[in-house]
Amino acid sequence: MIQSLANWILSFDILAGLGNPIAWGLSLFIVSALIFVFVAVNAIVLVYIERKVSAFMQVRLGPMRVGKFGSLQTVADALKLLQKEDIIPRSADKILFLIGPWVILVASVVTFAAIPFSDTLLAADMSIGLFYVVSISSIVVLGIVMAGWASNNKWSLYGAMRSAAQIISYEIPVGITLIAVVAVVGSLNLQTIVQAQGGTGNLFYWIPLPLPNWFIFHSPFLFLAAFIYLIGATAEINRTPFDIPESESELVAGFMTEFSGLRWALFFLSEYANATLVAFLVAIIFLGGWQSPFSNYAGAQIGFSILTLLAVMWTLFVKAKTQRLSFYPLGLSLMITIAAWLFPGFAIWLASPGLFWMLIKVGSVIFLLMWFRWTFPRLRVDQLMYVSWKVILPISLFNLMGVAVWMWLTGEIHF
Amino acid sequence: MSRLHAEEMVLNMGPQHPSTHGVLRLKLRTDGEIVSHIEPVIGYLHRSFEKHAENLEYQMVTPFCGRCDYLAAMGSEHGYAMAVEKMMGIELPERVEYLRVIFAELQRIASHLVAVGTFGLDVGAITPFIYCFRERELILDLFEMASGARLLYNYIWIGGLAHDVPPGFVEKTYEFLDNFETRVAEYNQILTGNKIFIERAADIGVMTPEVAINYGVTGPSLRASGVNIDLRRTQPYSIYDRFEFDVPLGEGTQGTIGDSWDRYYVRVREMEESARIIRQALDQLPVEGDVKSAIPRRIRPPKGEIYFRSENARGELGYYIVSNGKNVPLRVKMRSPAFSNLSVINEIGQGFMISDVIAILGSLDIVLGEIDR
Amino acid sequence: MTEQEIYAKLASHFGAKVMAFVEEETLNPTVIVEAEGITDVCNYLKDTEVLQFDSLMNLAGHDPDGESDLSVIYHLYSTQLDHYITLKVFVVREHGQVGSVANIYRTADWHEREAYDLYGITFDGHPDLKRILLEEDWEGHPLKKDYVAAEFYRGMRIEKVK
């Protein structure tokens, strides 16, 4: 994307004199800025969505005052945080305290360079994209330990130590799970991984149920791997039920206890950047990335018709269970279905790959993460380790072998 | 391999901490995450209840009682009123007794809702807390209807009630009960049966019956250890002998008898039993009766002393009152249940992790206003 | 067992240490015990087969008028046999000493600290006798009837109650 942007800049007569290196540098700057803006705006939007989702789950309204339906609430909160005094405790290790939050933020922002948003929207097309993302995102733990240690506060120290132990232990099963996918594709390039998931095929190769060729439907092993990855990744980004490093009811705010103002906002920024990153990875690796679930426009029409039927059943189920009528899912799917049948152009658009599908998938995964957060209690630190080393790690190792056997059975590889 | 040796660290949990249920300070001696000694430091909320009581007339003490256990103010007032009435030998109209039981049990539900919700909060589940508060709001609405206040009522007076309940109160209470009985299933769905919740609460902070009795632990925390002592049943006061209800005991369903999960679940079941009592009381509530008819003109209990105990939401609430025949008590001592319940934490919390100490503290359901008085 | 029977049993076992039995002017019949003997009496009450007082419900200090002796009141209950007894000991006003029952009933640990805090009664043999509700450096014992609050506490003026 950077090179094409540079070429585009050079295509203007006035700017042609800049020469390739300067144009390239300029576009590098523009792309970096775009990514940062994306992360910042994304955090503001996600905080708002998180508050609304939690309100929805807790039978309340959430923010309603600032802007229509409280939509400007997080903007106001961000402005408030920016104005707050940046307090540095007297006994803190000043240098580490100052750079800790930035390390976390940088580590979580730069990973987006390798994320393909659509078939063309991609900052850096790396052949080792997946490896890059996984390795850079683990630098976050360094920042957390820095921040926790530098605060010179026992709660912060506990948070940092817990976080280090947690992130490092969960990286192993997560890595092995990802290797299973890499083994299927034969490439670490995220774009290649997405491209390998186009079209429609049978569920688990043999079951005659036409579903998109996403890796989650590739084999029972990858199906399981998707969930293992989701669990492990939830732990890696410190979200409930694995939020023990900042566990509010125990460690006050964990490694963030002593931070205030802008520096505190940075933690939030990176927390949501990380959540988004995980959602992107789940979408790219298991849910076909920017691929459409439908292979042609007839598929889109039929697919949404089935979805409408499911929505009818859901509505009836909810009515039977709670005596309350909720038409939102039904109404939405019915509208799309009618539109898809009436306007073939719309159906074709639905069937074509693009940013839209990517965002839908990412949004769904993020919603799932929020759902976890507002439903589950928190694990204890030893239980967390137990889950990692004694449950998830063996399963993911078994999965890796299973995938190999499966590919041999289906004839994708030969020995 | 010989055990790695490390220094112990003293961790100051509180007085400002999200999970100490008020201004409590716990001095923890920790070895890594493992807690080897817990020393509660209390007194941050001391408001000299007993000193106040010695300088006020009997009827003026009532509002101070509610301020001690602010989550179960009706129960505190009820206990105090009954103690003074017993000293003076006052016979109450039927309607007063029934209304008092209704309010005391509603208060028990409200208090247990906070206990259950905050326990969920302590182990990291945020949503059940809001669910619990949703129902608690409805109870507070009922209290507001009757007394005009939502937290501290001064409604139960010595010899009667401040006012009769307004028209429509009984219907609204029935409505609340119909609603509430279906909600308990919701708490069980979202919290009680949750695997993570069970892992966090079961086998944590096991309190044996001997330890519980020796430390003077009372109320749901004692019954969770399998000791069948509920003053409403073993030593019926007011008109509790007229109602049918079960006394839920800890059964060790998910772990050992007397663990945090049992203490939590006993409260959940007690709420259902309280709802049963309220329903019976509403059914039997006499329509006629002046709630103020038995209020004495002059409250001057005869010379003497009494120790009167009643079952409040947190356990045995005792009032030791000494009268010298004047209108000001010579001594009012409140034996607060949470005071004794908290003192056991060092005994049952040793050897657990920091997170578990929080869970144990939450399962004991303390109110600092009552501990410090 | 009734309180009368319990008193008879105590009196026959301890003799002069158990001083009197009061039924008038109280709704909880009370046994008056000598201050030094309270530990032995409680031990006996707890361990004897027919008494089994395993629960100390309440322990309260009391100052009747600001001149005569202070007293400590013990409300005991047996969860096994479902009977009650109230014990009372008298202590001199200044530096009064009572045997501690904190090692018999753990409930007494904090309750004795409270009585020490508010009445200045010292409990011999208490594992960790220090103030509990008030600050360590508070002056005086506020529930004594002759208590006069100090002028200042750590430089803060203490307001006088009229």
Side-chain angles (χ1 to χ4, degrees), chain B residues 222-271:
Chain B
L222 174 68
R223 291 191 284 277
S225 299
V227 183
N228 193 350
I229 294 182
D230 185 329
L231 296 175
R232 293 174 294 170
R233 174 58 54 76
T234 54
Q235 188 204 1
Y237 55 91
S238 190
I239 48 163
Y240 275 106
D241 47 355
R242 299 187 199 172
F243 304 115
E244 255 178 54
F245 63 97
D246 297 326
V247 178
L249 297 178
E251 286 157 0
T253 324
Q254 306 292 351
T256 326
I257 292 182
D259 57 12
S260 297
W261 194 89
D262 271 348
R263 286 196 282 277
Y264 158 84
Y265 195 51
V266 161
R267 291 199 170 88
V268 174
R269 278 157 61 208
E270 255 181 33
M271 291 197 288

Side-chain angles (χ1 to χ4, degrees), chain A residues 88-162:
Chain A
I88 301 171
R90 195 182 301 142
S91 55
D93 184 330
K94 212 161 181 182
I95 300 167
L96 290 183
F97 191 85
L98 291 180
I99 61 175
W102 289 104
V103 171
I104 299 174
L105 182 72
V106 168
S108 45
V109 171
V110 293
T111 44
F112 281 91
I115 298 290
F117 286 74
S118 79
D119 43 357
T120 50
L121 212 54
L122 165 67
D125 192 4
M126 289 183 232
S127 57
I128 52 155
L130 187 58
F131 179 68
Y132 167 81
V133 170
V134 170
S135 50
I136 296 290
S137 63
S138 56
I139 292 179
V140 169
V141 68
L142 265 182
I144 290 179
V145 173
M146 269 186 199
W149 175 259
S151 298
N152 204 352
N153 173 318
K154 287 169 183 172
W155 301 114
S156 303
L157 186 62
Y158 268 114
M161 297 313 284
R162 283 180 175 190

Side-chain angles (χ1 to χ4, degrees), chain A residues 199-234:
Chain A
T200 316
N202 282 345
L203 171 65
F204 299 158
Y205 194 75
W206 281 296
I207 304 170
L209 189 65
L211 283 173
N213 256 334
W214 300 347
F215 283 141
I216 193 170
F217 304 128
H218 176 267
S219 63
F221 300 104
L222 283 191
F223 185 76
L224 193 60
F227 289 95
I228 290 180
Y229 178 73
L230 194 62
I231 294 170
T234 315

Side-chain angles (χ1 to χ4, degrees), chain C residues 48-139:
Chain C
T48 310
E49 192 72 22
V50 291
L51 297 171
Q52 288 190 37
F53 279 100
D54 51 2
S55 161
L56 175 70
M57 298 184 291
N58 184 29
L59 186 154
H62 176 47
D63 180 5
D65 48 16
E67 285 160 18
S68 41
D69 284 350
L70 303 175
S71 52
V72 183
I73 296 97
Y74 303 77
H75 297 274
L76 298 170
Y77 174 57
S78 165
T79 58
Q80 303 296 320
L81 305 171
D82 193 27
H83 52 214
Y84 302 84
I85 190 71
T86 305
L87 307 178
K88 193 175 207 170
V89 301
F90 287 101
V91 211
V92 290
R93 293 196 68 80
E94 296 307 321
H95 312 295
Q97 296 216 334
V98 188
S100 168
V101 296
N103 292 321
I104 307 165
Y105 303 110
R106 299 293 299 149
T107 331
D109 186 343
W110 281 20
H111 280 92
E112 282 179 357
R113 275 175 69 186
E114 190 187 325
Y116 164 73
D117 191 355
L118 302 178
Y119 284 99
I121 301 166
T122 311
F123 291 89
D124 278 341
H126 188 282
D128 183 22
L129 194 67
K130 59 184 182 194
R131 286 187 184 269
I132 187 165
L133 294 179
L134 302 178
E135 276 296 313
E136 281 290 320
D137 54 355
W138 190 266
E139 285 172 43

